[in-house]
Amino acid sequence: MIGTTYPSAPVDAETASLLRLIAGDPLHAEDRAAVARAILAAAAADGGRVDPNQVRKRIPATVYPRVIGAVYQALARAGVLQSEGWTISDDRRGRNSGRPARVYRMVHRAS
């Protein structure tokens, strides 16, 4: 449900718009909202560039890990994110450190 958010932050209009694009299992609605906020914040901080290493720093530890990739995929399919290249992951917790990770650019704001 769109109105359900991660307890630490309300859903602003832009995040709510993204969530409409990636609506799915209500069990993970709060997690999707947290990931969407992290992606928006990383893009805003870096001129639209979405580096997964920067996004991960903004995602609460309580987020179910499999939701993260699903949110990226949904936003890319919806045309909100476009692949821009690669970086090297620094994700030690997820055991992905040293592996290639896709970098995106936010090309379309959800409405």
Side-chain angles (χ1 to χ4, degrees), residues 51-95:
D51 182 324
N53 295 315
Q54 297 305 311
V55 172
R56 190 177 320 99
K57 293 174 184 178
R58 293 171 163 86
I59 297 174
T62 57
V63 167
Y64 182 58
R66 291 188 177 170
V67 169
I68 299 167
V71 171
Y72 274 104
Q73 288 178 359
L75 293 176
R77 277 193 313 267
V80 174
L81 296 178
Q82 182 177 43
S83 178
E84 185 173 86
W86 298 89
T87 190
I88 301 300
S89 176
D90 61 11
D91 179 17
R92 287 188 170 86
R93 182 174 172 221
R95 296 182 295 195

Side-chain angles (χ1 to χ4, degrees), residues 3-111:
T4 304
T5 64
Y6 190 75
S8 65
V11 171
D12 59 80
E14 189 170 28
T15 301
S17 181
L18 287 179
L19 291 174
R20 282 191 292 277
L21 289 172
I22 57 174
D25 179 2
L27 177 66
H28 295 294
E30 290 180 9
D31 290 347
R32 285 191 304 276
V35 174
R37 280 193 298 273
I39 289 171
L40 287 169
D46 197 9
R49 186 171 183 267
V50 180
D51 182 324
N53 295 315
Q54 297 305 311
V55 172
R56 190 177 320 99
K57 293 174 184 178
R58 293 171 163 86
I59 297 174
T62 57
V63 167
Y64 182 58
R66 291 188 177 170
V67 169
I68 299 167
V71 171
Y72 274 104
Q73 288 178 359
L75 293 176
R77 277 193 313 267
V80 174
L81 296 178
Q82 182 177 43
S83 178
E84 185 173 86
W86 298 89
T87 190
I88 301 300
S89 176
D90 61 11
D91 179 17
R92 287 188 170 86
R93 182 174 172 221
R95 296 182 295 195
N96 291 312
S97 184
R99 294 182 181 177
R102 192 175 302 274
V103 174
Y104 292 93
R105 174 148 309 272
M106 184 164 283
V107 294
H108 172 72
R109 297 288 178 151
S111 54

